[in-house]
Every structure is written in C-alpha cells, then in structure tokens.
Amino acid sequence: MNLSIKRSSVMALVLTCGFVSNSFAQSLDKMDWWSDAKFGMFMHWGLYSQTAGYWNGHKAKGNEHFMIHEKISLKDYAAIAKDFNPINYDAEQWVLTAKRAGMQYIIITSKHHDGFAMFDSPSNDYNIKKQTPYAQDPMKALVEACHKHDMKFGFYYSLGRDWEDPDVATNWPYKGGRSNLVDYPNEDIKVFSKYFERKVKPQIKELLTQYGKIDVIWFDTPELISPEESKELRDLILNIQPDCIINSRIGNDFGDYKVKEQEIVKGLEVQPWEACITMSKNWGYIEYDTIYKTPELMTRQLLEIVSKGGNLLLNNGPTAAGEIRKEAQDRLQIMGDWITLHSEGIYGSKPWEIQGELLGEKQDFIDNPKILEHENTMKDAVNDATSKAVFPEVRFTTKNGALYAYVCSAQRSKIIIKALSTKKQSKIKTVAQLGSSKKVVWKQTKAGLKLKLPKYSKNEIPITGFKIIFE
C-alpha cells in the first residue's frame, strides 16, 4: 500500500508530463514551508473599503471593482482617499487573529486594480501615505507583526490591471473590458511596457526592499504582459529576495505554483496549487454582505483542498477603519479551535492514494438536494464556483507513515470507511482520535473500517480526525 506520494515521484511525474515550467524544479526547496503550511489568510483592503459597497447613495455595481462598473473618473475615485483613515487598524491583532485560526501565512493587497498603493511608494504618489489623512504605511506594521509572530507574509500586486496608469490596456472578456476607459479611452495607444517600467518594476522593488523578508509575491491578472517581461520580473524579484515564492499570475508559466480562484480542483493535483476563496460573497468590505460560509463548510473546503495536495487562502475584507469584521472573527475562532485539535494530519501532510470517500450510498447523498444543503445558508456567491453542499464524507491525508481520516458531517454515530477494508488495505494496528485521549471503538472488516463517532456540541464543527497506523 502506498501511504504517501513521494516527492521524487511527484517531481518525476511533473517533469515527464510537462505541467509546469523549469522554475518549479528550481524552487522546490524554498517551497517546502509553503507546501507544509496548507492554510493562509487573504486580505483585500483599499479605497473600495471606504465606500463599503455604495456609490452616490446606491449600491454600487461591481463591488470592489465599482470604479470601472460605475464608470467613475480617476479624479472622483481618488477623492475617496480624503476620507480613508483606518484609526482602528491594529496589525498585531490581525496577525494574531490569523494565527489563532491556524493560518500560517498572510497575503494582502499592496495595490489592487484601482492602482492605489496601500504602502509608501516613493515612485508613485498615488498611495496611502501621500493621499490619505492616515498618512502612514500600514504595511510596515503588518510585516513587522508577521515577523514577530512567526507568520509568513506576502504582497498581492495587481499586475495587468491598473486604472490609475494611462498605459494599461486589457483584453478580458473583450478588448478594453477591464480598462479605465473614462480617463484613458483609446486602447490602441496604450503601451504596457511603459507602465511596466514606470510603475510595476519600481513598486515591486519597493515592496522587496522596504520591509525586510517577504515570503510571497502574489500577482493578479497578468493580462497583456509578455513572456520576456514575466521573466524579467521574476529575475528582478529573485535577485533581491532569492527565497521569495511567486504565484502563477506573474504570467507565461513563470510562477512557482498555480492559483484556482473560487474553485477547487476535481482530483489530485501534483503541481503545487492554492485555492483562494472568499468567506462571504465578496473580496473587499461590503457593508451589506453579511452571509458568510459556516465554519463547518470552510473546514470541509480546507480538508478537501489539503487532501488534493493544495493550500487554502481564505479571504476576508477588513473595514475602512481597519477592523476584521465580527462575522469573520467568530468563524475563524471556531475553525481555530477545531484546528488546534486536528492539525496533526493537516500541516506537512501529503495526499493519500484516495482523496475522499462518500459515507453512505451515492444515491442518498448526491441526488437528494435536501441532504446536500443540510441547513447551510451560503448559496452560490458572486463568481464562487465552490460547492456549498454539506454531506457525510471522509477526507484522507498521510504523514510520517500514518494515515489520517477526517470524518465530515456524518449523520450517524457509527460509520464504515470502505476504502479501509481488509480486502483493500493492510491490517490496521491502531486508531486514535486526534485531540482526544478517549479510546476509539473500531473494527476493520471486509466491508471497511467501522468507527464510532463522538457526540458534538451545538457550536462544535462536526468533523473528527482519526490517526490510523497499519501493521
């Protein structure tokens, strides 16, 4: 029985199939911490947080992208900065919130599509220090807090969209579809290389030289960047900080890992990958966006992603005042309590030969929508393709010769894991419940591993992890 997918085997498969660029092979060592981390916090924070989903007295189209959807001029949008003053911002509190939730790294928007820098950018005055009454660099405190509390840190940077710069054309979903056509209507005269030299390279240098060690540069929307420019940008980053990890959205196959946005891969993925997913419907702070995924659903998504070899980058949008919303804090605390007990089979784990198994007959749990919804209030969110279904299943991981089986949302107190039958696997030696010293009632048969589950309290996530050792 193959308890784990060996790193050498994965590497051979990746190189044989040609899934990623040679940069992947060159960056395996620096990827070790990232591959072991499994869980990170994504934070979207900017001028759009100030308007909280409104514009001129009505709910704005496009949420955090409303500058484009509402066809607002740069002058009018920039005026928002005059009111942006995050007086309640506490960088250490942000980091501790993430750490208590079990998250291992933080990625935050240094510059979103609106082109406004949320850091001190000497090369471009359109930034939080120069344009707002706050007149400080919040990134400095956040990086320091991450370093203090052993939290890895990365900057998000919108690469191929920038509504402040006159030379940024776009081609999605059609020519000019994500461009600032109010101030710069002529797409044909825009030259990406001018923007690349004038803004991108100077600001990336600033992000890598002003704050000490940066662990990740998380690009978004490569759009029209050329292969030559993607390579130049990668070289620039690694010349300054050789251990910095770069995601696939640098463009043209020059990233270290690939990104799935609001989506989870269907099966095992051998290439390093990460799913960035919202807790609520939107990325940035929207005052009326109050329906959040349940802690149970988000924990299930984490386990599904980890079982398929990926990381979960879970997003929340702080308020303009600099606060993490209570809806997010409450859910993160519940997840953190659960992870404290069950982390052994998550951090540093690898996918098993089977990623998951439905509990019960497929007909019962796939074709019955009432069972699938199971009191879950989060329906399909904006551009969110992840399943909101909650049903009984098992997710598997492996580490150091042990198998971990996470039994999720079971309807009954006794279950059978068919994948662990004596017909399919070696004889089981021990079964232990993670985070508990209680003796587990279990029996391995030809039908599968029979397990008795613990009872759950009202506010407890109904997921239990078991550590399984084979003879």
Side-chain angles (χ1 to χ4, degrees):
M1 181 185 64
N2 180 19
L3 266 180
S4 64
I5 295 178
K6 299 296 184 183
R7 185 170 172 178
S8 58
S9 299
V10 172
M11 190 64 231
L13 178 60
V14 169
L15 293 179
T16 300
C17 298
F19 288 144
V20 289
S21 63
N22 289 333
S23 62
F24 172 63
Q26 298 165 359
S27 59
L28 274 177
D29 289 341
K30 75 174 184 180
M31 291 292 293
D32 283 349
W33 75 260
W34 185 93
S35 297
D36 290 344
K38 307 303 181 187
F39 195 23
M41 178 181 279
F42 208 8
M43 307 187 82
H44 277 68
W45 197 39
L47 294 187
Y48 42 85
S49 307
Q50 180 66 40
T51 59
Y54 297 96
W55 184 252
N56 284 344
H58 66 271
K59 291 183 178 180
K61 301 174 185 175
N63 305 310
E64 60 275 346
H65 300 163
F66 73 94
M67 178 182 172
I68 292 301
H69 290 267
E70 293 284 347
K71 296 180 172 55
I72 302 167
S73 70
L74 179 59
K75 179 180 178 182
D76 289 342
Y77 185 85
I80 299 170
K82 296 178 181 178
D83 298 318
F84 192 85
N85 190 17
I87 56 175
N88 295 333
Y89 170 61
D90 185 336
E92 189 161 27
Q93 189 268 333
W94 282 15
V95 173
L96 291 176
T97 296
K99 197 173 184 71
R100 283 193 292 263
M103 292 161 161
Q104 304 293 299
Y105 59 107
I106 290 176
I107 307 292
I108 190 169
T109 49
S110 67
K111 186 202 75 168
H112 204 243
H113 308 327
D114 58 8
F116 186 80
M118 291 294 288
F119 65 99
D120 178 16
S121 178
S123 65
N124 187 291
D125 287 346
Y126 194 49
N127 67 70
I128 187 171
K129 186 172 183 180
K130 293 286 182 64
Q131 302 296 328
T132 73
Y134 185 65
Q136 300 176 54
D137 183 349
M139 298 300 109
K140 185 175 185 296
L142 187 58
V143 178
E144 289 176 352
C146 282
H147 291 165
K148 175 181 177 181
H149 293 286
D150 195 27
M151 177 75 70
K152 299 292 186 179
F153 179 86
F155 283 119
Y156 165 113
Y157 189 89
S158 180
L159 181 56
R161 297 179 195 170
D162 189 306
W163 303 328
E164 180 263 346
D165 194 280
D167 278 301
V168 187
T170 61
N171 62 354
W172 190 88
Y174 46 82
K175 183 177 179 178
R178 290 294 185 270
S179 300
N180 178 1
L181 299 179
V182 175
D183 298 283
Y184 315 116
N186 191 344
E187 290 284 277
D188 293 329
I189 65 171
K190 297 176 183 179
V191 182
F192 182 89
S193 61
K194 293 182 179 179
Y195 154 71
F196 185 70
E197 294 293 332
R198 179 174 57 245
K199 191 169 187 179
V200 174
K201 288 167 61 176
Q203 288 194 327
I204 293 301
K205 288 178 182 177
E206 291 161 3
L207 293 173
L208 292 169
T209 57
Q210 295 180 170
Y211 306 98
K213 183 172 175 54
I214 302 300
D215 300 292
V216 181
I217 292 292
W218 205 103
F219 288 111
D220 201 4
T221 61
E223 296 282 355
L224 300 178
I225 191 170
S226 69
E228 293 76 18
E229 287 163 333
S230 291
K231 182 181 185 303
E232 182 182 358
L233 189 54
R234 179 180 176 84
D235 290 344
L236 183 154
I237 294 167
L238 298 183
N239 283 336
I240 299 173
Q241 298 218 25
D243 293 328
C244 189
I245 295 168
I246 307 164
N247 75 341
S248 59
R249 292 183 177 178
I250 191 174
N252 300 296
D253 200 31
F254 279 96
D256 297 312
Y257 68 92
K258 74 175 186 178
V259 174
K260 303 293 286 187
E261 182 172 324
Q262 298 284 48
E263 184 182 0
I264 299 173
V265 298
K266 291 183 179 180
L268 175 64
E269 176 60 69
V270 297
Q271 176 185 350
W273 70 282
E274 174 186 74
C276 55
I277 297 174
T278 54
M279 296 180 71
S280 59
K281 289 188 176 183
N282 298 283
W283 298 100
Y285 170 60
I286 305 293
E287 184 182 54
Y288 46 84
D289 180 10
T290 57
I291 298 178
Y292 279 59
K293 294 182 177 78
T294 64
E296 179 183 2
L297 177 57
M298 291 187 288
T299 303
R300 288 173 59 94
Q301 291 183 334
L302 171 64
L303 290 172
E304 180 181 357
I305 290 164
V306 172
S307 76
K308 296 175 179 179
N311 287 11
L312 170 59
L313 188 60
L314 187 62
N315 179 78
N316 81 85
T319 68
E323 300 164 327
I324 296 176
R325 295 183 73 167
K326 187 177 186 302
E327 294 92 336
Q329 290 196 49
D330 290 347
R331 285 158 176 79
L332 289 173
Q333 181 175 336
I334 293 171
M335 291 183 73
D337 291 342
W338 183 90
I339 288 174
T340 297
L341 298 176
H342 296 89
S343 63
E344 183 180 333
I346 298 176
Y347 305 137
S349 68
K350 305 295 182 185
W352 190 45
E353 61 190 39
I354 299 169
Q355 285 70 65
E357 176 186 313
L358 286 169
L359 291 175
E361 295 299 321
K362 197 169 186 179
Q363 186 73 24
D364 293 339
F365 299 114
I366 292 299
D367 297 335
N368 189 332
K370 291 183 179 179
I371 293 178
L372 287 176
E373 291 300 337
H374 186 53
E375 300 180 352
N376 180 47
T377 58
M378 170 60 80
K379 309 302 180 185
D380 286 340
V382 180
N383 300 320
D384 186 346
T386 61
S387 172
K388 312 307 178 300
V390 174
F391 51 89
E393 69 172 345
V394 185
R395 285 289 162 186
F396 300 105
T397 65
T398 182
K399 183 172 71 175
N400 298 331
L403 175 67
Y404 296 86
Y406 288 92
V407 180
C408 305
S409 311
Q411 304 289 308
R412 304 178 180 90
S413 61
K414 296 180 180 179
I415 57 101
I416 299 178
I417 304 176
K418 296 178 181 179
L420 299 179
S421 72
T422 53
K423 294 187 297 182
K424 297 179 180 179
Q425 305 297 341
S426 302
K427 187 177 180 181
I428 294 175
K429 181 179 180 181
T430 61
V431 178
Q433 181 182 330
L434 296 180
S436 174
S437 59
K438 294 181 180 179
K439 184 178 180 181
V440 178
V441 178
W442 65 276
K443 185 177 182 181
Q444 187 186 23
T445 69
K446 291 181 179 179
L449 173 62
K450 297 181 178 180
L451 279 174
K452 185 176 181 180
L453 302 178
K455 293 182 179 180
Y456 301 106
S457 62
K458 183 179 179 181
N459 295 321
E460 193 176 3
I461 296 174
I463 300 174
T464 301
F466 295 93
K467 182 179 182 178
I468 300 166
I469 303 294
F470 294 89
E471 289 188 353

